[in-house]
Amino acid sequence: LLFASTSAWATEYHGQVFVQGVPVPGATVTVTQDGQKFSTVTDQQGLYEFPNLNDGAWKIEIRMRGFTTLKSQVTVGPNLPQGKFELTLLGLQQMLGQVKVVTPEAPPNPQLATRAKEKPKPAETTAAMPPPADENNDQTADGLLVNGTDSNAATSKYSLSPAFGNRRPSARGLYTGGFAGAVSNSTFDARPYSLTGFQVSKAAYSRVIAGVSIGGPLMIPHLFYHGPTFYLAYQWTRDSTGNTIPALVPDAAERSGNLAGLTNPFGQPLTIYNPATGQPFTGPIPVSPQAQALLNLYPLPNIPGNESYNYEAETLSHTHSDALESRLDKQLGRRDQVYGGFGFQSSRASAANLFNFVDTTDTLGIDAHVSWSHQYEHNIFAVLEYHFTRERTLLRPQFENRQNVSGNAGITGNDQDPKNWGPPYLNFSSGIAALDDANSEFNRNRTDAFSLKLESMHRRHTITFGGDYRKQEFNQYTQSNPRGTWEFTGAATAAPGTPAASPGAVTTSGSDLADFLLGIPDTSAVAFGNPDKYFRQPAYDAYVLDDFRVQPNLTINAGIRWEYGAPITELYGRMVNLDIAPGFTAAAPVLANQPTGSVTSAKYPASLIRPDRLGFEPRIGISWRPIPASTLVVRAGYGIYDDTSIYLSSAEMLAQQAPLSKSVQVSNSSTCPLTLANSFINCAGVTEDTYAVDPNLRVGYAQVWQLSMQRDLPEALVGMIKYSGVKGTHGTQESLPNTYPIGATNPCPSCPAGFVYRTSGGNSTREAGEVQLRRRLRSGLTASVDYIWSKSLDDDSLVGATGHVDTQAAMGAPSDTSTSPSTNPTIAQNWLDLNAERGLSTFDQRNLATAEVQYTTGMGLTETLLNGWRGKFFKEWTVMTKMSAGSGLPATPIYLDAVQGTGVTGPIRPNVTGAPLYTSQAGRFLNAAAYAPPAAGQWGDARRDSITGPDVFTLDGALARTFRVMGTKNLDVRLDATNPLNHVTYTTWNTVVNGRTFGLPAAANPMRSLQVTARMRF
């Protein structure tokens, strides 16, 4: 009853303190009533709170140094308005009166004493007035000299240094800047690791980076003296790097048709059959003119007696770039500010491949933005921004306008435009180096973005809301696969009448190299025409966010975002999709400029993909200190994030199809015979259009959540444990409709086949637990140890893409060598069972441990400041090192063969035999006997990403020192060492089970390299 009676007459009282509409943190608020007195301090938003005040009248006083003390009276009670107060800045003389200065005792001054007696006592004020100054301005009564007052005029003998305060004869001290440079040379780098054991000569290269920066107020004489603050930086880069590439290339005997002694991955001899007679070859096989012309582009082996890698080359790549960055910032009055920036980067790069084909790439990027911010009355802020970006890329391959390799070899049916001269792309199942060169490109991409953000602070809430609009242009002048692609698997020279995938059949007969020499590709693909494409995409988003300080120990950040990226359209309607009947029983092309399907009579939008506007993304974050006297902090969060970038790759494929361009994707058969001279032809039963997208494609999204706890520990340690997870939905999946296993009978001969179909039924998950122990900087030492255990699963073609046969390769285009998991979408093995694709993600790393240590000698050593040469030698050194070790990344076993009914080679997996996978012969890391060709009429049962790659280990270090040159000038010198132990680590294994290089390392990470960086700051 006592508690109820007291609480019934007590009310929470809170308010906010401002100065000219800006919240004031750190102000002392005191309330008194009948001898009761309570005090608090305003927080960062100027808020104060008294949780339990008796109802009635209270006196309130708000004090803040530099402001007038505010006294008032408030009434506390239920449903009464809360307090909102405005402080006023003190004048200069009043501020001086708040400063207490202790000076040496001086002889009494009779005149000052007389004046003090005669001067009447001032009335009570909120701030005491300072004592009067001497008439001669020789000194002040209390000895205080303030720059800028008449006590510190230029004529005063007590004037301070002109550099004190705002009295500066020049503006040199207002500017900051620096000069920087980084140098590295192959002389100090270790030799690249050789996978073959054969050491080629190390290439000579160097890396040089130089930069300069300056910032400060922009003042132009006779024009304006109070210009905006500016920052300007320029960086000059000349970078060359060497790379060792191992390969398997045909030797002199093989080039002449002598293939005796060829074996499969199991060491069994190969029997090569003549496809014309069905009998084994008894001598050298004939070499077609087209094959001979292309063989001339291959280098001869330089490593004798090695059946795996018989060639190794050192290649060089060069990059020259110039980058400029600038910023301006100007305050306009008390409420407005204008700021912006401009930057550009120009790079000229050249890269050589295994065949010494040198391709050049010129890139020019521009980035500019301007913003205006305005403060409205009280606590509302607005920011309006315009952002412009443009990037131009010009890629010139080796043979552009130089040599018509295809035409001179008698190859027909591909693009003969001089821009696209060069060899077709050759791919061999046995592991022979693929013949490859880049395609000519001239792309110009541009984005215009507008954004508006408003922020309002009300009591415990900081509310932010706004929106963005982006107009995106992708202007391309390139062909998808102009020179064509051939795949060779040994099917043409295998034993006649035997299904290619019968157990043991293709392992002992047929040779991909023999197929090539005879001029019979297993599959053929080409796509060219309609080179200039003008893609357009608008994107929108809107959001609202509330940062709610519920209690001093609890903050909730919650909001929602809506995001919409429209499907991409082509400016002139030049895109083609397939109008597909239910069950894939029929299909016909539908054009963007005539978007009505002839099969289903459905009407499509100009993008040929219907928009998905359901991009609502709620998000919430919580920070909570559950025990007031403890350093324990609990953080939790959840959010949804959309991926609106899925449309561009689809639009590029849809723009390169018949009838707008020539698109071919066929396999060799008795009804469709292919030769190197004439293989880019369309055959009956295969669609001319090789790609289709579900018109109801959904935008994928990810749900992200995490929970962490952090607490301070003894000895300056901080411990943290965290659990996090990601759930992906509506991920991209790609398959080949109406296909069937090797050796099976076509279940629907009249159904359309030969095209890749993209839909959005993929899913992915990742869960991770993390433990971290960190030492704060103490006695010059800071360090952290971090361990993460995680597991990632997916059946998503984009998430699990790296290291697999991708869409571009399946469609005949050379594969992108990027390591981004979203670059090369994989194709499902069985189009009727997409769930069978679920497996480990390619980035799944089960264990990862990281340690970082940094020690600095600071200004002293072992708690004693050193002088003389000892101090100069030991002070201000910093030593840093970072080490990480983790388990290997997954890879998929691939049985490279053509998919029945299509011209696609690749998305077939072998059968698992049960033999140990990681017990193999010397020099190989995988056992070929662990896999066998898939049984006739069945898909392989090996799981996707079921091979664990090599373990990961990195160790880097750095040594740095700051030299105090003079005044504010400092010289920073740093030495960075990558892999200082020169420890070799492999990236992945070769996983094509019917290849001669199966189980061998595909590449090695860089060996030791050193870089020296120096920076002068002023």
Side-chain angles (χ1 to χ4, degrees), residues 178-202:
F179 304 91
V183 179
S184 179
N185 191 274
S186 59
T187 304
F188 305 103
D189 293 351
R191 182 188 299 273
Y193 182 77
S194 171
L195 296 178
T196 65
F198 176 78
Q199 294 291 351
V200 297
S201 58
K202 184 173 70 170

PDB file of all heavy atoms in Angstrom, residues 178-202:
ATOM      1  N   GLY A 178      50.622  15.654 -47.903  1.00  0.00           N
ATOM      2  CA  GLY A 178      51.683  14.677 -47.809  1.00  0.00           C
ATOM      3  C   GLY A 178      52.100  14.164 -49.163  1.00  0.00           C
ATOM      4  O   GLY A 178      51.448  14.391 -50.183  1.00  0.00           O
ATOM      5  N   PHE A 179      53.273  13.505 -49.138  1.00  0.00           N
ATOM      6  CA  PHE A 179      53.793  12.823 -50.310  1.00  0.00           C
ATOM      7  C   PHE A 179      54.003  11.366 -49.923  1.00  0.00           C
ATOM      8  O   PHE A 179      54.441  11.071 -48.803  1.00  0.00           O
ATOM      9  CB  PHE A 179      55.117  13.436 -50.769  1.00  0.00           C
ATOM     10  CG  PHE A 179      55.045  14.910 -51.045  1.00  0.00           C
ATOM     11  CD1 PHE A 179      55.317  15.840 -50.051  1.00  0.00           C
ATOM     12  CD2 PHE A 179      54.698  15.373 -52.307  1.00  0.00           C
ATOM     13  CE1 PHE A 179      55.247  17.192 -50.288  1.00  0.00           C
ATOM     14  CE2 PHE A 179      54.621  16.732 -52.561  1.00  0.00           C
ATOM     15  CZ  PHE A 179      54.900  17.648 -51.560  1.00  0.00           C
ATOM     16  N   ALA A 180      53.706  10.442 -50.824  1.00  0.00           N
ATOM     17  CA  ALA A 180      53.828   9.031 -50.510  1.00  0.00           C
ATOM     18  C   ALA A 180      54.345   8.275 -51.717  1.00  0.00           C
ATOM     19  O   ALA A 180      54.143   8.688 -52.860  1.00  0.00           O
ATOM     20  CB  ALA A 180      52.486   8.450 -50.062  1.00  0.00           C
ATOM     21  N   GLY A 181      55.029   7.163 -51.438  1.00  0.00           N
ATOM     22  CA  GLY A 181      55.526   6.308 -52.501  1.00  0.00           C
ATOM     23  C   GLY A 181      55.716   4.888 -52.002  1.00  0.00           C
ATOM     24  O   GLY A 181      56.043   4.669 -50.833  1.00  0.00           O
ATOM     25  N   ALA A 182      55.468   3.914 -52.878  1.00  0.00           N
ATOM     26  CA  ALA A 182      55.658   2.501 -52.555  1.00  0.00           C
ATOM     27  C   ALA A 182      56.428   1.859 -53.697  1.00  0.00           C
ATOM     28  O   ALA A 182      56.139   2.108 -54.871  1.00  0.00           O
ATOM     29  CB  ALA A 182      54.324   1.803 -52.348  1.00  0.00           C
ATOM     30  N   VAL A 183      57.411   1.029 -53.338  1.00  0.00           N
ATOM     31  CA  VAL A 183      58.293   0.425 -54.332  1.00  0.00           C
ATOM     32  C   VAL A 183      58.444  -1.055 -54.023  1.00  0.00           C
ATOM     33  O   VAL A 183      58.582  -1.453 -52.860  1.00  0.00           O
ATOM     34  CB  VAL A 183      59.676   1.100 -54.338  1.00  0.00           C
ATOM     35  CG1 VAL A 183      60.584   0.440 -55.364  1.00  0.00           C
ATOM     36  CG2 VAL A 183      59.555   2.583 -54.630  1.00  0.00           C
ATOM     37  N   SER A 184      58.379  -1.868 -55.068  1.00  0.00           N
ATOM     38  CA  SER A 184      58.655  -3.296 -54.961  1.00  0.00           C
ATOM     39  C   SER A 184      59.330  -3.734 -56.244  1.00  0.00           C
ATOM     40  O   SER A 184      59.065  -3.174 -57.311  1.00  0.00           O
ATOM     41  CB  SER A 184      57.368  -4.091 -54.721  1.00  0.00           C
ATOM     42  OG  SER A 184      57.647  -5.469 -54.639  1.00  0.00           O
ATOM     43  N   ASN A 185      60.222  -4.747 -56.136  1.00  0.00           N
ATOM     44  CA  ASN A 185      60.974  -5.200 -57.294  1.00  0.00           C
ATOM     45  C   ASN A 185      61.129  -6.704 -57.239  1.00  0.00           C
ATOM     46  O   ASN A 185      61.215  -7.290 -56.157  1.00  0.00           O
ATOM     47  CB  ASN A 185      62.353  -4.520 -57.339  1.00  0.00           C
ATOM     48  CG  ASN A 185      63.060  -4.753 -58.664  1.00  0.00           C
ATOM     49  OD1 ASN A 185      63.734  -5.755 -58.845  1.00  0.00           O
ATOM     50  ND2 ASN A 185      62.899  -3.817 -59.595  1.00  0.00           N
ATOM     51  N   SER A 186      61.161  -7.317 -58.410  1.00  0.00           N
ATOM     52  CA  SER A 186      61.292  -8.772 -58.461  1.00  0.00           C
ATOM     53  C   SER A 186      62.594  -9.254 -57.838  1.00  0.00           C
ATOM     54  O   SER A 186      62.688 -10.418 -57.432  1.00  0.00           O
ATOM     55  CB  SER A 186      61.205  -9.238 -59.911  1.00  0.00           C
ATOM     56  OG  SER A 186      62.229  -8.649 -60.695  1.00  0.00           O
ATOM     57  N   THR A 187      63.594  -8.389 -57.746  1.00  0.00           N
ATOM     58  CA  THR A 187      64.856  -8.788 -57.135  1.00  0.00           C
ATOM     59  C   THR A 187      64.660  -9.228 -55.698  1.00  0.00           C
ATOM     60  O   THR A 187      65.335 -10.145 -55.214  1.00  0.00           O
ATOM     61  CB  THR A 187      65.862  -7.628 -57.203  1.00  0.00           C
ATOM     62  OG1 THR A 187      66.012  -7.208 -58.562  1.00  0.00           O
ATOM     63  CG2 THR A 187      67.209  -8.036 -56.634  1.00  0.00           C
ATOM     64  N   PHE A 188      63.734  -8.586 -54.991  1.00  0.00           N
ATOM     65  CA  PHE A 188      63.502  -8.890 -53.580  1.00  0.00           C
ATOM     66  C   PHE A 188      62.364  -9.886 -53.379  1.00  0.00           C
ATOM     67  O   PHE A 188      62.074 -10.257 -52.246  1.00  0.00           O
ATOM     68  CB  PHE A 188      63.195  -7.599 -52.819  1.00  0.00           C
ATOM     69  CG  PHE A 188      64.257  -6.550 -52.979  1.00  0.00           C
ATOM     70  CD1 PHE A 188      64.055  -5.468 -53.823  1.00  0.00           C
ATOM     71  CD2 PHE A 188      65.468  -6.655 -52.314  1.00  0.00           C
ATOM     72  CE1 PHE A 188      65.028  -4.503 -53.986  1.00  0.00           C
ATOM     73  CE2 PHE A 188      66.456  -5.696 -52.468  1.00  0.00           C
ATOM     74  CZ  PHE A 188      66.246  -4.617 -53.309  1.00  0.00           C
ATOM     75  N   ASP A 189      61.721 -10.303 -54.472  1.00  0.00           N
ATOM     76  CA  ASP A 189      60.647 -11.281 -54.373  1.00  0.00           C
ATOM     77  C   ASP A 189      61.183 -12.678 -54.651  1.00  0.00           C
ATOM     78  O   ASP A 189      62.128 -12.859 -55.426  1.00  0.00           O
ATOM     79  CB  ASP A 189      59.536 -10.963 -55.375  1.00  0.00           C
ATOM     80  CG  ASP A 189      58.817  -9.665 -55.038  1.00  0.00           C
ATOM     81  OD1 ASP A 189      59.070  -9.123 -53.943  1.00  0.00           O
ATOM     82  OD2 ASP A 189      58.015  -9.194 -55.868  1.00  0.00           O
ATOM     83  N   ALA A 190      60.559 -13.657 -54.004  1.00  0.00           N
ATOM     84  CA  ALA A 190      60.945 -15.033 -54.244  1.00  0.00           C
ATOM     85  C   ALA A 190      60.445 -15.494 -55.605  1.00  0.00           C
ATOM     86  O   ALA A 190      59.490 -14.949 -56.165  1.00  0.00           O
ATOM     87  CB  ALA A 190      60.391 -15.929 -53.143  1.00  0.00           C
ATOM     88  N   ARG A 191      61.096 -16.535 -56.116  1.00  0.00           N
ATOM     89  CA  ARG A 191      60.693 -17.100 -57.398  1.00  0.00           C
ATOM     90  C   ARG A 191      59.312 -17.730 -57.262  1.00  0.00           C
ATOM     91  O   ARG A 191      59.022 -18.408 -56.269  1.00  0.00           O
ATOM     92  CB  ARG A 191      61.703 -18.151 -57.829  1.00  0.00           C
ATOM     93  CG  ARG A 191      61.419 -18.784 -59.177  1.00  0.00           C
ATOM     94  CD  ARG A 191      62.363 -19.941 -59.423  1.00  0.00           C
ATOM     95  NE  ARG A 191      63.736 -19.487 -59.423  1.00  0.00           N
ATOM     96  CZ  ARG A 191      64.385 -19.022 -60.486  1.00  0.00           C
ATOM     97  NH1 ARG A 191      63.733 -18.948 -61.641  1.00  0.00           N
ATOM     98  NH2 ARG A 191      65.634 -18.637 -60.409  1.00  0.00           N
ATOM     99  N   PRO A 192      58.402 -17.532 -58.229  1.00  0.00           N
ATOM    100  CA  PRO A 192      57.092 -18.188 -58.161  1.00  0.00           C
ATOM    101  C   PRO A 192      57.245 -19.701 -58.067  1.00  0.00           C
ATOM    102  O   PRO A 192      58.156 -20.288 -58.655  1.00  0.00           O
ATOM    103  CB  PRO A 192      56.412 -17.771 -59.468  1.00  0.00           C
ATOM    104  CG  PRO A 192      57.102 -16.504 -59.866  1.00  0.00           C
ATOM    105  CD  PRO A 192      58.515 -16.651 -59.408  1.00  0.00           C
ATOM    106  N   TYR A 193      56.336 -20.321 -57.346  1.00  0.00           N
ATOM    107  CA  TYR A 193      56.421 -21.768 -57.153  1.00  0.00           C
ATOM    108  C   TYR A 193      56.093 -22.490 -58.450  1.00  0.00           C
ATOM    109  O   TYR A 193      55.165 -22.118 -59.178  1.00  0.00           O
ATOM    110  CB  TYR A 193      55.451 -22.206 -56.056  1.00  0.00           C
ATOM    111  CG  TYR A 193      55.517 -23.679 -55.763  1.00  0.00           C
ATOM    112  CD1 TYR A 193      56.549 -24.218 -55.011  1.00  0.00           C
ATOM    113  CD2 TYR A 193      54.546 -24.530 -56.265  1.00  0.00           C
ATOM    114  CE1 TYR A 193      56.611 -25.569 -54.748  1.00  0.00           C
ATOM    115  CE2 TYR A 193      54.594 -25.889 -56.007  1.00  0.00           C
ATOM    116  CZ  TYR A 193      55.626 -26.415 -55.251  1.00  0.00           C
ATOM    117  OH  TYR A 193      55.678 -27.748 -54.990  1.00  0.00           O
ATOM    118  N   SER A 194      56.852 -23.548 -58.731  1.00  0.00           N
ATOM    119  CA  SER A 194      56.654 -24.335 -59.941  1.00  0.00           C
ATOM    120  C   SER A 194      55.929 -25.627 -59.587  1.00  0.00           C
ATOM    121  O   SER A 194      56.435 -26.438 -58.797  1.00  0.00           O
ATOM    122  CB  SER A 194      58.000 -24.645 -60.607  1.00  0.00           C
ATOM    123  OG  SER A 194      57.826 -25.561 -61.658  1.00  0.00           O
ATOM    124  N   LEU A 195      54.739 -25.832 -60.170  1.00  0.00           N
ATOM    125  CA  LEU A 195      53.995 -27.068 -59.939  1.00  0.00           C
ATOM    126  C   LEU A 195      54.646 -28.249 -60.628  1.00  0.00           C
ATOM    127  O   LEU A 195      54.390 -29.407 -60.288  1.00  0.00           O
ATOM    128  CB  LEU A 195      52.559 -26.919 -60.427  1.00  0.00           C
ATOM    129  CG  LEU A 195      51.694 -25.883 -59.710  1.00  0.00           C
ATOM    130  CD1 LEU A 195      50.318 -25.821 -60.358  1.00  0.00           C
ATOM    131  CD2 LEU A 195      51.572 -26.211 -58.240  1.00  0.00           C
ATOM    132  N   THR A 196      55.497 -27.992 -61.626  1.00  0.00           N
ATOM    133  CA  THR A 196      56.129 -29.064 -62.387  1.00  0.00           C
ATOM    134  C   THR A 196      57.501 -29.442 -61.838  1.00  0.00           C
ATOM    135  O   THR A 196      58.035 -30.486 -62.200  1.00  0.00           O
ATOM    136  CB  THR A 196      56.292 -28.633 -63.847  1.00  0.00           C
ATOM    137  OG1 THR A 196      57.211 -27.529 -63.911  1.00  0.00           O
ATOM    138  CG2 THR A 196      54.958 -28.189 -64.439  1.00  0.00           C
ATOM    139  N   GLY A 197      58.060 -28.590 -61.001  1.00  0.00           N
ATOM    140  CA  GLY A 197      59.422 -28.820 -60.541  1.00  0.00           C
ATOM    141  C   GLY A 197      60.468 -28.268 -61.490  1.00  0.00           C
ATOM    142  O   GLY A 197      61.667 -28.291 -61.185  1.00  0.00           O
ATOM    143  N   PHE A 198      60.036 -27.769 -62.625  1.00  0.00           N
ATOM    144  CA  PHE A 198      60.945 -27.191 -63.611  1.00  0.00           C
ATOM    145  C   PHE A 198      60.982 -25.678 -63.424  1.00  0.00           C
ATOM    146  O   PHE A 198      59.947 -25.009 -63.470  1.00  0.00           O
ATOM    147  CB  PHE A 198      60.470 -27.546 -65.020  1.00  0.00           C
ATOM    148  CG  PHE A 198      61.288 -26.921 -66.116  1.00  0.00           C
ATOM    149  CD1 PHE A 198      62.519 -27.446 -66.456  1.00  0.00           C
ATOM    150  CD2 PHE A 198      60.816 -25.820 -66.813  1.00  0.00           C
ATOM    151  CE1 PHE A 198      63.270 -26.882 -67.469  1.00  0.00           C
ATOM    152  CE2 PHE A 198      61.563 -25.249 -67.824  1.00  0.00           C
ATOM    153  CZ  PHE A 198      62.802 -25.782 -68.154  1.00  0.00           C
ATOM    154  N   GLN A 199      62.144 -25.137 -63.173  1.00  0.00           N
ATOM    155  CA  GLN A 199      62.270 -23.717 -62.886  1.00  0.00           C
ATOM    156  C   GLN A 199      62.594 -22.946 -64.154  1.00  0.00           C
ATOM    157  O   GLN A 199      63.682 -23.094 -64.729  1.00  0.00           O
ATOM    158  CB  GLN A 199      63.367 -23.470 -61.831  1.00  0.00           C
ATOM    159  CG  GLN A 199      63.052 -24.041 -60.460  1.00  0.00           C
ATOM    160  CD  GLN A 199      61.916 -23.296 -59.784  1.00  0.00           C
ATOM    161  OE1 GLN A 199      61.467 -22.262 -60.252  1.00  0.00           O
ATOM    162  NE2 GLN A 199      61.448 -23.835 -58.671  1.00  0.00           N
ATOM    163  N   VAL A 200      61.645 -22.175 -64.605  1.00  0.00           N
ATOM    164  CA  VAL A 200      61.912 -21.262 -65.708  1.00  0.00           C
ATOM    165  C   VAL A 200      62.555 -20.002 -65.133  1.00  0.00           C
ATOM    166  O   VAL A 200      62.526 -19.750 -63.926  1.00  0.00           O
ATOM    167  CB  VAL A 200      60.614 -20.909 -66.461  1.00  0.00           C
ATOM    168  CG1 VAL A 200      60.017 -22.148 -67.090  1.00  0.00           C
ATOM    169  CG2 VAL A 200      59.624 -20.245 -65.535  1.00  0.00           C
ATOM    170  N   SER A 201      63.161 -19.213 -65.989  1.00  0.00           N
ATOM    171  CA  SER A 201      63.799 -17.988 -65.532  1.00  0.00           C
ATOM    172  C   SER A 201      62.757 -17.014 -64.985  1.00  0.00           C
ATOM    173  O   SER A 201      61.672 -16.869 -65.556  1.00  0.00           O
ATOM    174  CB  SER A 201      64.566 -17.332 -66.688  1.00  0.00           C
ATOM    175  OG  SER A 201      63.688 -17.068 -67.760  1.00  0.00           O
ATOM    176  N   LYS A 202      63.100 -16.385 -63.867  1.00  0.00           N
ATOM    177  CA  LYS A 202      62.163 -15.454 -63.236  1.00  0.00           C
ATOM    178  C   LYS A 202      62.107 -14.161 -64.031  1.00  0.00           C
ATOM    179  O   LYS A 202      63.122 -13.582 -64.395  1.00  0.00           O
ATOM    180  CB  LYS A 202      62.598 -15.163 -61.792  1.00  0.00           C
ATOM    181  CG  LYS A 202      61.611 -14.285 -61.040  1.00  0.00           C
ATOM    182  CD  LYS A 202      61.967 -14.156 -59.563  1.00  0.00           C
ATOM    183  CE  LYS A 202      63.212 -13.346 -59.361  1.00  0.00           C
ATOM    184  NZ  LYS A 202      63.429 -13.018 -57.929  1.00  0.00           N
TER     185      LYS A 202
END
